[in-house]
Amino acid sequence: MTTKKNNDVPDQTSTEPMPPGAPAAPPLSFGVQLVFFTRDGVERAQLAPGKPLVVGRGQEANLPIYEAQLSYTHAKFTLHEDGVLVEDLESRNGVWHAGQQVPSAKLVPGDEIYLATVIVRVFALGMIAEPNLVEEPTFRRQLEEELRRTRFSGRSLGVLAVSPGEKEAAEGSRGTWVTRLEQHLRERIHRIYLYVPNIALILLPEIDAAEAQRVARSIAAGAPPAIGPRCVGMALHPGDASKADKLIEVARQNLRRARPGEPALGTQAGSDGGEGDEPPIFGEKMGEALHIIKQASRARVPVLLLGETGTGKEVLAKRLHDSGPRSKKPFIAINCGALPGTLITSELFGHVKGAFTGADKDTKGAFRDVDGGTLFLDEIGDLAPDAQKALLRVLQEGVVTPVGSTNSHHVDVRIVAATHKNLQAMIEDGSFRRDLYHRLNTAVVEIPPLRERQDEIEPLAQRFLTKANRENGRSIQGFSPEAKARLFAYNWLGNVRELKSAVDWAVIIAEADLIQPEDLPKAVRLAQPEPATPSVGGLKAETEQLTQQFGTQRILAVLQETNWNRRKAAEKLGIPYPTLLRRMREYGIKPPKLEDS
């Protein structure tokens, strides 16, 4: 039922009163899960006996949720044998249950309440299957893991993009409708990510096209109680795409073509790719890296790219390939950390039939597939010891030997390796071969993180905004000065990839012509810009000062965390040891006098 509250917050409590003579709810002493639907997505917390949970937007809360309408300590949840007791902690906007503001309420599985604008649902562990909702990083990581498995299992996977029908959307604000999807997926290992309140992404691993279509049609049709038809778009691997980002993009494109009750199962997105024909955006800080890439493209030497995750290492590797004499030959990218040792060896060098369980045919491997071209080995620091040894042989002798074979094959391959790890530290602890390192680091390119490339942030954000407008049927004009200031102030530990995700999110939920600070993801929204707006002439100096401030804070925090062990700190920061020493000198960071690591 839907009622209206005094502060215009609708109530979607779906729990019906217990009929006369119905059995009492069983004891809940084994624990429950509380699911919080917020502006920024979904938060989950498990409630156990004797461990109350305080929710609010302050750090004093056990579960901090930054929502403007929440008080610093808004409400307390306590588990009892006959249900969950929620108590209002004298909050400003109250606790609402069944359309009424209440000082406290007893909840049972299936109940729904409001903490101001935050919706809370109760699920009993072991009784009612709690929704298999995950956050964006977990969804993406598991999608990428499943994609890697398909290369060896020969199986396919699907990604669904789902929107609720009008009736379901009206009865399930803030994305609570997504919990109903479980009934279509209960017998399958799956993951659901609430992309925005009215779009959910579903990962369906190890599923063929026919079964994926059956699931898509079941979700699109809806189910009792009558909720109305939904819109569903589907993407399959292999076929539609081979990368996580592209699969999600295809599923969302198909969602826009779908009609209620009739899922869009094909694709009009074309082949797998990156950002189309648009050239990369590089700022002043990338000058040195681009110069080395240009020089190295003419030579045959290996190139080692060092930089944090998301800084654009594959973009630079492709640029090097396209700029050199091998541009007409293949370019293949392999993530060395994606597969265990035996499988990555097979992926790189091939195998013969019967070499190991599941090897039912001969394979050539990436080196022979890319012969004459460029092989990009991402996350080289995660390469297994046996694969390191075999790679060294390729670099020294130019031959590969498939797993399970004694026959060698000559190859002519340009190697570009990349890592966010500190290879020098790995050499010292024995996890990376010194001789392989010296073979790879003939030409070394250090890629600055996005927070040091401030002149790229605005043009990149504008490009992502244009693309997100096109993909979502929006017409957002740009960013307000306040929102733009947050973009410059944020530390961007996820770099360009994180910036794109932030803009995608803001475009979808923005209500004005310009993106406002409240439209940005929570972490970006909380970034504190400099109080004074710099003049045009002083913008560069202001930006450099801001960049140094955040760099100093991050480095100091990690150094203190590692007890000023600079090698451990460099590894934790994801930068080479010499880079850390250089930044410490630039920022004037010195260890305590009595300690020297």
Side-chain angles (χ1 to χ4, degrees):
M1 73 182 169
T2 302
T3 59
K4 199 74 171 174
K5 302 186 181 74
N6 295 337
N7 63 349
D8 293 331
V9 178
D11 174 68
Q12 290 105 28
T13 302
S14 58
T15 304
E16 297 295 331
M18 296 288 285
L28 300 180
S29 57
F30 46 78
V32 302
Q33 181 174 106
L34 303 177
V35 180
F36 299 80
F37 294 87
T38 75
R39 179 183 178 88
D40 292 302
V42 177
E43 298 273 2
R44 298 192 296 180
Q46 188 165 328
L47 199 59
K51 295 183 178 179
L53 178 73
V54 175
V55 179
R57 64 185 175 96
Q59 294 302 316
E60 303 88 345
N62 302 122
L63 180 64
I65 297 177
Y66 184 82
E67 190 99 357
Q69 299 300 314
L70 286 184
S71 298
Y72 285 101
T73 53
H74 196 102
K76 181 171 72 172
F77 293 84
T78 308
L79 181 63
H80 299 277
E81 288 193 357
D82 59 342
V84 175
L85 177 65
V86 57
E87 300 171 85
D88 189 345
L89 299 179
E90 298 183 355
S91 65
R92 185 174 70 254
N93 291 312
V95 173
W96 297 78
H97 179 51
Q100 302 293 325
Q101 185 172 358
V102 295
S104 65
K106 185 64 70 69
L107 310 174
V108 296
D111 271 358
E112 178 179 293
I113 63 165
Y114 276 84
L115 308 181
T117 56
V118 175
I119 302 172
V120 188
R121 278 193 175 176
V122 181
F123 294 87
L125 299 176
M127 283 179 53
I128 300 176
E130 66 273 14
N132 203 355
L133 294 169
V134 297
E135 295 182 350
E136 190 271 344
T138 302
F139 183 89
R140 187 176 298 275
R141 183 178 65 251
Q142 292 177 341
L143 174 54
E144 290 174 346
E145 288 175 357
E146 293 299 333
L147 283 169
R148 292 191 286 267
R149 290 191 183 99
T150 62
R151 297 177 67 90
F152 295 92
S153 67
R155 298 172 180 171
S156 54
L157 63 82
V159 174
L160 304 182
V162 184
S163 285
E166 291 183 10
K167 180 179 179 182
E168 187 175 33
E171 293 182 351
S173 65
R174 290 259 171 151
T176 57
W177 63 274
V178 77
T179 59
R180 295 192 180 113
L181 298 177
E182 294 289 322
Q183 60 189 298
H184 304 278
L185 306 164
R186 202 166 287 164
E187 298 177 359
R188 175 170 302 284
I189 299 173
H190 64 274
R191 294 293 183 270
I192 304 175
Y193 160 47
L194 191 62
Y195 182 71
V196 288
N198 65 341
I199 299 178
L201 298 177
I202 304 175
L203 168 61
L204 301 175
E206 298 189 2
I207 191 171
D208 59 29
E211 177 65 8
Q213 291 176 11
R214 186 198 67 77
V215 174
R217 290 191 178 98
S218 173
I219 292 173
I227 56 175
R230 304 182 180 103
C231 291
V232 178
M234 184 178 78
L236 286 174
H237 168 77
D240 290 331
S242 59
K243 294 184 178 179
D245 287 338
K246 191 65 176 182
L247 273 169
I248 293 172
E249 180 182 334
V250 170
R252 290 182 55 212
Q253 287 175 347
N254 287 334
L255 175 63
R256 289 192 293 275
R257 297 193 298 112
R259 291 183 293 178
E262 300 179 16
L265 306 177
T267 177
Q268 297 179 345
S271 60
D272 192 4
E275 292 296 320
D277 296 327
E278 292 180 305
I281 293 173
F282 294 124
E284 184 180 346
K285 280 279 189 177
M286 289 293 290
E288 181 179 351
L290 294 174
H291 175 72
I292 298 174
I293 290 291
K294 181 179 179 180
Q295 297 297 108
S297 67
R298 307 166 185 167
R300 297 172 58 90
V301 298
V303 175
L304 181 61
L305 306 177
L306 303 177
E308 297 177 8
T309 300
T311 49
K313 295 189 284 291
E314 185 170 349
V315 172
L316 285 184
K318 190 67 166 62
R319 184 184 182 94
L320 185 148
H321 170 77
D322 292 341
S323 302
R326 298 174 184 262
S327 59
K328 303 299 182 183
K329 297 291 185 178
F331 174 90
I332 293 180
I334 299 290
N335 188 331
C336 298
L339 297 164
T342 54
L343 294 184
I344 189 63
T345 304
S346 171
E347 173 76 6
L348 292 175
F349 311 114
H351 64 256
V352 297
K353 183 177 180 180
F356 51 82
T357 302
D360 54 359
K361 61 181 179 180
D362 291 355
T363 65
K364 293 172 65 175
F367 269 95
R368 293 166 67 191
D369 286 340
V370 81
D371 195 14
T374 302
L375 182 61
F376 174 55
L377 299 178
D378 199 8
E379 302 304 343
I380 191 76
D382 293 329
L383 199 61
D386 288 346
Q388 289 183 34
K389 181 178 179 181
L391 176 59
L392 180 62
R393 185 187 178 204
V394 178
L395 291 171
Q396 291 175 332
E397 304 174 14
V399 297
V400 296
T401 303
V403 177
S405 174
T406 58
N407 297 323
S408 297
H409 304 269
H410 285 274
V411 291
D412 174 24
V413 176
R414 170 70 174 273
I415 299 293
V416 181
T419 185
H420 71 281
K421 292 188 174 181
N422 187 334
L423 294 183
Q424 293 277 14
M426 295 180 67
I427 290 171
E428 292 185 9
D429 66 25
S431 58
F432 198 83
R433 295 179 65 104
R434 186 181 299 274
D435 46 6
L436 176 59
Y437 173 76
H438 289 302
R439 282 280 180 177
L440 291 172
N441 77 338
T442 306
V444 179
V445 180
E446 289 192 21
I447 307 174
L450 183 60
R451 57 187 169 276
E452 295 182 9
R453 294 149 51 186
Q454 292 265 311
D455 55 349
E456 296 180 24
I457 291 177
E458 186 170 357
L460 280 171
Q462 190 60 48
R463 171 178 289 184
F464 296 148
L465 181 143
T466 301
K467 184 175 181 182
N469 273 336
R470 185 170 62 246
E471 291 181 348
N472 296 282
R474 301 301 307 275
S475 56
I476 305 300
Q477 299 301 306
F479 302 85
S480 71
E482 296 80 9
K484 197 178 297 183
R486 299 300 199 283
L487 296 182
F488 283 115
Y490 184 58
N491 214 18
W492 299 115
L493 295 180
N495 292 288
V496 178
R497 188 178 303 160
E498 186 181 11
L499 174 61
K500 183 179 185 302
S501 295
V503 175
D504 285 349
W505 170 268
V507 166
I508 290 172
I509 70 170
E511 297 178 355
D513 290 338
L514 297 178
I515 289 174
Q516 305 298 323
E518 58 267 24
D519 301 324
L520 296 168
K522 176 172 62 177
V524 185
R525 191 165 67 233
L526 292 176
Q528 294 299 315
E530 290 293 310
T533 303
S535 64
V536 175
L539 179 60
K540 184 174 180 181
E542 185 76 13
T543 295
E544 290 178 353
Q545 179 183 358
L546 190 61
T547 302
Q548 176 172 329
Q549 173 190 344
F550 278 94
T552 303
Q553 291 174 354
R554 173 66 174 155
I555 290 173
L556 270 173
V558 175
L559 282 167
Q560 291 168 357
E561 185 180 337
T562 58
N563 198 25
W564 288 85
N565 186 315
R566 287 167 289 189
R567 293 199 181 276
K568 288 184 179 179
E571 183 174 4
K572 198 171 185 67
L573 288 163
I575 60 176
Y577 180 60
T579 302
L580 173 60
L581 297 182
R582 174 172 56 80
R583 291 184 186 175
M584 289 177 66
R585 288 195 300 270
E586 290 175 354
Y587 299 162
I589 300 174
K590 297 180 181 180
K593 292 183 179 180
L594 297 179
E595 297 181 27
D596 186 8
S597 54

